[in-house]
Amino acid sequence: MKFKAVIFDMDGVIFDSERLYIECNKEVARRFGITDADLIENVSRKCIGITSEETRRIMEECLGEDFPLDELWMGAAELFKEKTMGGNLPMKPGVVEILEYLKDKEVQIAVASSTKTETVERELSEAGLLSYFDKVVGGDMIRKSKPAPDSFLKAAEVLGVDPKDCCIIEDSFNGIRAAHAAGGFPIMVPDILQPDDEIRGLAGIILESLLKVRDYLAQN
């Protein structure tokens, strides 16, 4: 394998969490009188993989500036935690298989997520996955969120490898943009969002699952 390290995004790559986030948003939105599930679905999809500032702008545009957005986020976060505590966060197919393969090949592994480091470590630990990772980089460890390359540059730095020697696995548009900007080799494993022409041009390759990624890495 030509890569010295593999860096994973977490939500939508390791965990099948994006759909659950959206369902939590819908459930909490109903408490505030929004019964249009399609509206919440669509606005939540637009916010996948973008900064909190841009998320706020989009949600205020769709829901109105007077909507109690912070209360929605807090309620959705609490509900998500309630539903997933104790290792109940579903994993994407092939997670353990690819991590086992990389460990067997003695390839360094990191996770670089926009989520707070404490939450990343907790969720990985509860799933029995934390020990696979040499380093964890959370959103509170960097200045700029994706599409800025900061998280992946930080992961490469703490691993002690050049970003160009890193394979970066992402599911979101901004994640692929960030991976490309960092100088790594971006692999997109689509989750909810399917790649458009821009993302196809930025991704090194697009594969349908982590099992396919493992097979690709074994051949390259």
Side-chain angles (χ1 to χ4, degrees):
M1 192 178 115
K2 66 182 180 181
F3 299 106
K4 295 180 180 178
V6 176
I7 303 171
F8 290 80
D9 176 41
M10 186 176 74
D11 292 306
V13 173
I14 294 173
F15 294 119
D16 193 5
S17 50
E18 302 287 13
R19 290 173 181 80
L20 183 55
Y21 277 126
I22 293 174
E23 290 306 313
C24 289
N25 280 341
K26 289 180 184 177
E27 188 170 333
V28 175
R30 285 196 294 271
R31 302 175 191 172
F32 295 99
I34 296 182
T35 57
D36 187 345
D38 288 340
L39 172 65
I40 300 301
E41 172 94 23
N42 292 333
V43 71
S44 297
R45 282 172 173 260
K46 289 179 181 179
C47 297
I48 292 174
I50 66 174
T51 64
S52 57
E53 292 82 4
E54 185 68 2
T55 296
R56 181 178 291 277
R57 184 192 68 77
I58 289 173
M59 285 199 152
E60 286 182 347
E61 186 178 279
C62 293
L63 303 178
E65 293 186 4
D66 294 332
F67 184 83
L69 194 53
D70 291 323
E71 293 179 42
L72 170 67
W73 285 348
M74 186 178 300
E78 290 175 355
L79 183 60
F80 182 87
K81 186 175 181 179
E82 177 185 313
K83 289 178 179 289
T84 60
M85 283 288 285
N88 291 320
L89 188 54
M91 287 189 285
K92 300 290 281 187
V95 171
V96 173
E97 288 86 347
I98 191 172
L99 293 174
E100 288 281 1
Y101 169 78
L102 295 173
K103 278 299 181 186
D104 183 61
K105 295 298 181 182
E106 298 183 347
V107 177
Q108 292 198 80
I109 312 171
V111 62
S113 172
S114 300
T115 303
K116 290 183 179 180
T117 306
E118 179 184 359
T119 302
V120 174
E121 291 179 341
R122 175 181 60 79
E123 291 181 352
L124 290 174
S125 179
E126 289 177 347
L129 300 177
L130 185 59
S131 61
Y132 286 103
F133 293 90
D134 298 292
K135 299 293 180 180
V136 172
V137 174
D140 51 319
M141 297 173 62
I142 57 170
R143 289 183 61 240
K144 294 182 180 180
S145 299
K146 304 165 189 175
D150 297 33
S151 58
F152 297 130
L153 293 175
K154 182 67 174 178
E157 176 190 336
V158 296
L159 287 172
V161 298
D162 192 302
K164 70 177 180 1
D165 294 320
C166 297
C167 167
I168 302 172
I169 305 174
E170 264 285 359
D171 70 298
S172 73
F173 286 16
N174 274 350
I176 292 297
R177 293 179 183 120
H180 182 269
F185 182 81
I187 294 182
M188 185 180 193
V189 181
D191 182 31
I192 291 177
L193 302 178
Q194 296 302 308
D196 59 14
D197 289 342
E198 178 207 356
I199 298 305
R200 290 189 190 94
L202 295 178
I205 191 169
I206 299 169
L207 297 167
E208 65 186 31
S209 71
L210 291 177
L211 291 173
K212 295 291 187 182
V213 176
R214 179 199 60 184
D215 294 344
Y216 175 82
L217 294 176
Q219 297 166 11
N220 292 274

